[in-house]
């Protein structure tokens, strides 16, 4: 496979000037970290990184049709 | 000198008492629970003359400490049959503290049909007969009292739900904008209604103010504490911008957003009700995205939400309410939810218990899923007017389930489970099971560590570490609830090393004490054990520390998670 499609979802102020949800193409096995940096984020800004609804480490490799959700550090209760 | 105000509603007398030595180091939840345990027979009827309603400001309430303006209310709960403490912002805690009132204890019950009001001031408390405001909603009561007694008057009131002694009735407290905050959970409004007290008015004119043992040390600690609150991304930026409702999208993504009466873990309409949408709507309509529930709050997680015409619709519009009527009842119109929130505030209903009750009512076929207009009609025309259906819904999710034969009834100790599915966020399930309060997310908010990456990370879908996480958080929360602090100080306290020591330094500077971190942990443990002992003496058992059966048998999407803790694993919570 030449490339994989990953759905990227952004939340809270990460959406400002970017997007809510978009499909992007990446090389197979691309790490979350590289996707995050490629979107212009600093790693220190990341609060929650989820792949398919589960928390994932920054070096987690992504597969075809994965959903990557990125949240700043936010909370409520 | 601090004092205890005691009101006897049986013989309509009041007395000002000295603070017993063993209560001197207590405040907030530690004090209300200590008094309830000492003075209320555990097997009494919660709406009878032997129950007592206790109000106590926190240890730091009334000082300049940021976010210290919480008032605790305690009693035996008519909803759970166990002990209850519920705390609130608003202006009353700080007024009580400045007046030197350590606690207000209301006991007994009038023999006749009359209604009363309490007037609290620098000379103590008086009882007056009340007629004019009976039957009115909370907003009208506050407006009338401000017109009569001045804008500064403090108000603690019940709405029609409390007058009817419905077990979802809350106690409302005036906030700095003249609107409402609530002692929400456990039906404390019904206890106040059983004492036939419509409102408590507070006048702090001429109050002696706070005695500070070491003002300089207090200032130093207070600066460090406030800086920690401002520096942490959750309390400093996230909560002020999006409010608690930022959680809709997070819990949806994590598969922990209970949907259609806890059938699914995700809601298709999440974008329509989420915090991001709410923020943009508030800004576009000229509302306020930031608002504090009490003076001195630096987090300002609250907001003022306007309708399409730019008029006030509601404030203190919380994630749990929006989830409850939104995802849980499939209502995707935020304006409908906001209007329902306003009506619940006015009637004096716990918006978590009532929203979950509507989810069960929809499951029973009483009204269609997603019908926000019918929710508002039922609130106004049925609950507000005390029809039979209205009283069933106003008595909570458990009452609706029992009346209509529904088996999927999300309650623990008969109190509705809020906004986080315990199958896919397992730590919070331990809190729901074991908290002496019944299902209460704030009692040990494992969402911080299970979902939000605050205070470390414990995988929400696995069992490992959840009992310990919930135990540590419940102990810490019982202590924080005794200081008068907002529970959201826990976010910086879990991550910023200077935060908790600064909080303890402030308590020491206020009272001339020498508490250590271990003392504060010990306080939290004592409070939990006291509350647990009350519940056991009231007749609750470890069989009440369980989730409803359907959580074990029905997997929740998208992770197909079930509740899989054994009874022994849950009961190990109490090994401390």
């Amino acid at each position: 496979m030449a490339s994989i499609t990953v759905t990227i979802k952004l939340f809270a102020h990460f959406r400002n000037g970017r997007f809510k949800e978009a499909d992007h193409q990446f090389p197979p096995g691309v790490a979350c970290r590289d996707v995050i940096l490629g979107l212009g984020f600093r790693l220190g800004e990341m609060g929650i990184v989820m792949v398919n609804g589960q928390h994932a480490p920054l070096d987690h490799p992504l597969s075809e049709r994965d959903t990557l959700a990125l949240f700043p550090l936010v909370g409520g209760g | 000198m601090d004092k205890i105000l005691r009101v006897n509603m049986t013989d309509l007398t009041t007395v000002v008492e000295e603070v017993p030595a063993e209560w001197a180091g207590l405040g907030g939840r530690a004090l209300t629970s200590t008094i309830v345990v000492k003075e209320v027979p555990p097997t009494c009827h919660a709406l009878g003359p032997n129950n007592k309603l206790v109000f106590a400001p926190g240890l730091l309430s009334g000082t300049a400490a940021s976010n210290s303006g919480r008032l605790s209310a305690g009693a035996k709960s008519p909803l759970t049959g166990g002990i209850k403490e519920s705390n609130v912002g608003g202006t009353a805690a700080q007024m009580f503290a400045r007046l030197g009132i350590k606690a207000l204890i209301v006991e007994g019950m009038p023999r006749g049909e009359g209604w009363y009001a309490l007037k609290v001031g620098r000379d103590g408390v008086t009882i007056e007969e009340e007629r004019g405001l009976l039957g009115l909603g909370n907003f009208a009561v506050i407006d009338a009292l401000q017109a009569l007694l001045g804008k500064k008057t403090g108000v603690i009131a019940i709405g029609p739900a409390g007058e009817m002694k419905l077990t979802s009735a809350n106690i409302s407290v005036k906030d700095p904008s003249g609107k409402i905050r609530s002692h929400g959970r456990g039906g404390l409004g019904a206890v106040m209604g059983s004492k036939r007290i419509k409102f408590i008015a507070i006048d702090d004119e001429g109050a002696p103010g706070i005695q500070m043992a070491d003002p300089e040390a207090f200032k130093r600690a207070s600066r460090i504490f406030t800086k920690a609150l401002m520096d942490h991304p959750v309390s400093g930026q996230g909560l002020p911008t999006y409010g608690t409702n930022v959680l809709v999208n997070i819990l949806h993504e994590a598969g922990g957003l209970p949907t259609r009466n806890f059938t699914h873990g995700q809601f298709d309409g999440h974008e329509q009700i989420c915090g991001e949408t709410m923020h943009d709507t508030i800004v576009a309509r000229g509302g306020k995205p930031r608002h504090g529930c009490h003076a001195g709050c630096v987090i300002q997680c609250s907001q003022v939400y306007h309708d399409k015409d730019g008029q006030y619709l509601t404030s203190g519009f919380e994630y749990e309410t929006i989830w409850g009527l939104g995802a849980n009842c499939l209502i995707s119109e935020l304006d409908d939810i906001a209007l329902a929130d306003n009506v619940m505030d006015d009637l004096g209903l716990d918006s978590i218990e009532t929203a979950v009750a509507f989810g069960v009512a929809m499951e029973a076929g009483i009204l269609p899923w997603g019908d926000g207009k019918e929710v508002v009609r039922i609130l106004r025309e049925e609950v507000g007017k005390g029809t039979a259906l209205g009283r069933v819904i106003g008595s909570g999710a458990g009452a609706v389930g029992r009346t209509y034969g529904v088996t999927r009834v999300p309650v623990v100790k008969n109190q509705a489970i809020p906004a986080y599915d315990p199958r896919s966020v397992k730590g919070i399930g331990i809190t729901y099971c074991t908290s002496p309060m019944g299902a209460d997310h704030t009692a040990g908010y494992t969402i911080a560590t299970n979902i939000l990456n605050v205070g470390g990370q414990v995988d929400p879908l696995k069992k490992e570490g959840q009992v310990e996480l919930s135990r540590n958080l419940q102990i810490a929360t019982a202590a924080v609830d005794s200081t008068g602090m907002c529970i959201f100080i826990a976010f910086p306290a879990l991550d910023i090393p200077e935060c908790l020591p600064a909080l303890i330094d402030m308590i020491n500077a206020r009272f001339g004490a020498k508490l250590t971190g271990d003392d504060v942990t010990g306080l939290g443990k004592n409070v939990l054990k006291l509350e647990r002992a009350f519940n056991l003496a009231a007749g609750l058992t470890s069989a009440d520390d369980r989730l409803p059966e359907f959580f074990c048998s029905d997997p929740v999407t998208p992770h197909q998670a079930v509740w899989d803790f054994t009874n022994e694993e849950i009961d190990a919570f109490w090994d401390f």
Side-chain angles (χ1 to χ4, degrees):
Chain A
M1 198 184 292
S3 68
I4 58 168
T5 302
V6 173
T7 300
I8 300 171
K9 294 181 180 176
L10 302 180
F11 296 93
H13 67 257
F14 282 179
R15 290 177 172 182
N16 297 346
R18 295 192 182 90
F19 56 87
K20 276 188 198 177
E21 181 173 335
D23 286 352
H24 286 214
Q25 313 293 315
F26 297 103
V30 66
C32 294
R33 174 189 290 106
D34 296 325
V35 174
I36 290 166
L37 293 172
L39 288 166
F41 291 111
R42 287 177 292 107
L43 295 178
E45 290 178 87
M46 286 299 129
I48 310 169
V49 176
M50 285 190 212
V51 176
N52 304 330
Q54 297 196 42
H55 293 76
L58 289 172
D59 58 3
H60 182 88
L62 294 166
S63 305
E64 173 71 4
R65 288 291 155 198
D66 274 351
T67 296
L68 173 66
L70 303 176
F71 300 84
L73 254 178
V74 287
Chain B
M1 272 307 275
D2 281 353
K3 60 203 173 198
I4 304 285
L5 303 185
R6 192 180 289 273
V7 174
N8 186 316
M9 293 305 294
T10 304
D11 54 19
L12 302 177
T13 57
T14 69
V15 60
V16 179
E17 299 174 353
E18 283 184 24
V19 179
E22 65 268 28
W23 294 356
L26 305 177
R29 176 174 169 184
L31 186 53
T32 63
S33 286
T34 296
I35 293 173
V36 170
V37 167
K38 180 157 190 280
E39 301 194 2
V40 175
T43 53
C44 75
H45 197 295
L47 301 179
N50 292 321
N51 199 7
K52 301 192 182 190
L53 180 61
V54 184
F55 295 93
L59 288 167
L60 289 171
S61 300
T63 71
S66 298
N67 289 69
S68 62
R70 305 287 295 187
L71 180 71
S72 287
K76 176 173 176 171
S77 164
L79 184 74
T80 68
I83 197 166
K84 176 57 62 179
E85 183 269 355
S86 175
N87 62 70
V88 70
T91 62
Q94 290 160 337
M95 297 176 93
F96 270 25
R98 284 195 294 268
L99 286 162
I101 299 168
K102 189 91 173 157
L104 167 66
I105 304 173
V106 182
E107 55 195 35
M109 202 162 100
R111 296 187 184 91
E113 295 298 304
W115 281 84
Y116 300 89
L118 303 184
K119 300 274 177 70
V120 173
R122 68 178 164 182
D123 297 324
V125 55
T126 55
I127 306 171
E128 297 178 10
E129 264 195 76
E130 176 57 38
R131 291 195 184 88
L133 301 181
L134 293 181
L136 293 185
N138 283 310
F139 292 114
V141 169
I142 289 173
D143 287 349
L145 290 175
Q146 290 194 141
L148 191 67
L149 304 169
K151 282 276 179 201
K152 288 186 187 166
T153 187
V155 180
I156 299 172
I158 56 170
E163 291 183 44
M164 287 186 265
K165 296 184 275 187
L166 301 181
T167 45
S168 301
N170 63 24
I171 296 175
S172 295
V173 176
K174 193 185 103 172
D175 80 2
S177 308
K179 298 301 183 189
I180 287 172
R181 302 284 140 180
S182 308
H183 292 286
R185 308 226 63 194
L188 292 180
V191 179
M192 189 155 149
S194 75
K195 311 282 183 213
R196 304 184 80 79
I197 295 171
K198 176 65 176 171
F199 66 85
I200 302 168
I202 312 163
D203 174 7
D204 68 353
E205 190 71 32
I210 300 294
Q211 306 297 314
M212 187 66 68
D214 187 343
E216 284 309 311
F218 186 88
K219 267 187 213 162
R220 279 196 303 277
S222 174
R223 271 196 293 270
I224 295 167
F225 183 75
T226 301
K227 184 172 185 306
L229 265 52
M230 303 296 283
D231 283 352
H232 194 274
V234 172
S235 50
Q237 293 150 31
L239 280 167
T241 308
Y242 296 105
T244 58
N245 199 31
V246 74
L247 288 165
V248 164
N249 278 339
I250 300 175
L251 270 297
H252 170 85
E253 198 60 30
L257 185 72
T259 300
R260 201 183 195 278
N261 189 31
F262 287 76
T263 307
H264 312 295
Q266 293 184 310
F267 176 45
D268 288 343
H270 65 101
E271 273 294 332
Q272 288 159 269
I273 62 166
C274 69
E276 290 90 336
T277 298
M278 186 168 105
H279 173 266
D280 294 348
T281 305
I282 288 172
V283 171
R285 292 175 177 179
K288 290 183 187 163
R290 303 181 61 160
H291 184 254
C293 77
H294 64 276
C297 167
V298 298
I299 298 178
Q300 309 239 318
C301 71
S302 183
Q303 60 303 104
V304 178
Y305 185 95
H306 286 179
D307 65 14
K308 287 190 174 78
D309 303 321
Q311 300 299 309
Y312 175 92
L313 193 50
T314 196
S315 52
F317 198 23
E318 302 294 341
Y319 164 64
E320 283 74 18
T321 308
I322 295 165
W323 154 78
L325 290 175
N328 197 49
C329 290
L330 305 185
I331 298 170
S332 50
E333 179 55 59
L334 200 50
D335 285 351
D336 286 349
I337 302 173
L339 178 57
D341 187 49
N342 175 287
V343 177
M344 288 188 283
D345 277 352
D346 200 33
L347 294 173
L349 286 168
D350 174 15
S351 60
I352 295 178
E353 191 66 45
T354 307
V356 177
F358 271 110
V360 178
M362 288 174 179
E363 177 116 17
I366 297 168
L367 71 166
W369 291 104
D371 192 343
K373 308 285 189 288
E374 180 64 4
V375 165
V376 170
R377 189 201 70 78
I378 288 177
L379 285 170
R380 283 180 172 153
E381 302 300 322
E382 308 281 353
V383 186
K385 293 182 178 167
T387 67
L389 171 63
R391 284 171 187 264
V392 171
I393 288 182
S395 297
V400 176
R402 283 189 295 278
T403 309
Y404 288 88
V406 178
T407 54
R408 187 162 45 234
V409 183
V411 296
V412 177
K413 300 178 179 67
N414 199 41
Q415 179 167 291
I417 294 179
Y420 313 87
D421 199 298
R423 289 164 290 193
S424 37
V425 193
K426 293 187 189 294
I428 200 72
I430 296 293
T431 297
Y432 294 156
C433 285
T434 54
S435 169
M437 300 298 143
D440 180 345
H441 62 292
T442 67
Y445 192 65
T446 73
I447 309 306
T449 310
N450 281 155
I451 300 290
L452 303 172
N453 291 346
V454 175
Q457 223 289 316
V458 173
D459 188 332
L461 291 163
K462 295 193 175 130
K463 295 205 292 185
E464 288 72 31
Q466 309 293 2
V467 171
E468 186 183 18
L469 175 65
S470 175
R471 185 193 294 129
N472 290 340
L473 288 172
Q474 287 198 53
I475 290 168
T477 301
V480 169
D481 285 346
S482 307
T483 62
M485 284 290 166
C486 161
I487 193 59
F488 289 158
I489 68 122
F491 291 113
L494 285 165
D495 281 341
I496 299 178
E498 299 81 23
C499 185
L500 209 51
L503 174 60
I504 297 168
D505 288 346
M506 286 194 293
I507 297 171
N508 287 338
R510 161 84 168 87
F511 294 100
K514 290 195 168 77
L515 297 177
T516 65
D518 285 347
D519 294 327
V520 174
T521 306
L523 173 70
K525 287 180 179 174
N526 285 343
V527 170
L528 280 178
K529 286 182 173 176
L530 264 180
E531 292 169 343
R532 163 90 165 161
F534 182 94
N535 284 358
L536 295 177
L540 280 76
T541 69
S542 58
D544 295 294
D545 288 358
R546 303 288 179 259
L547 291 185
E549 191 179 26
F550 77 88
F551 285 111
C552 307
S553 56
D554 300 0
V556 66
T557 52
H559 301 303
Q560 303 305 328
V562 292
W563 179 250
D564 49 1
F565 283 86
T566 66
N567 293 344
E568 292 72 25
E569 286 168 339
I570 297 167
D571 294 342
F573 172 88
W574 289 105
D575 295 343
F576 63 89

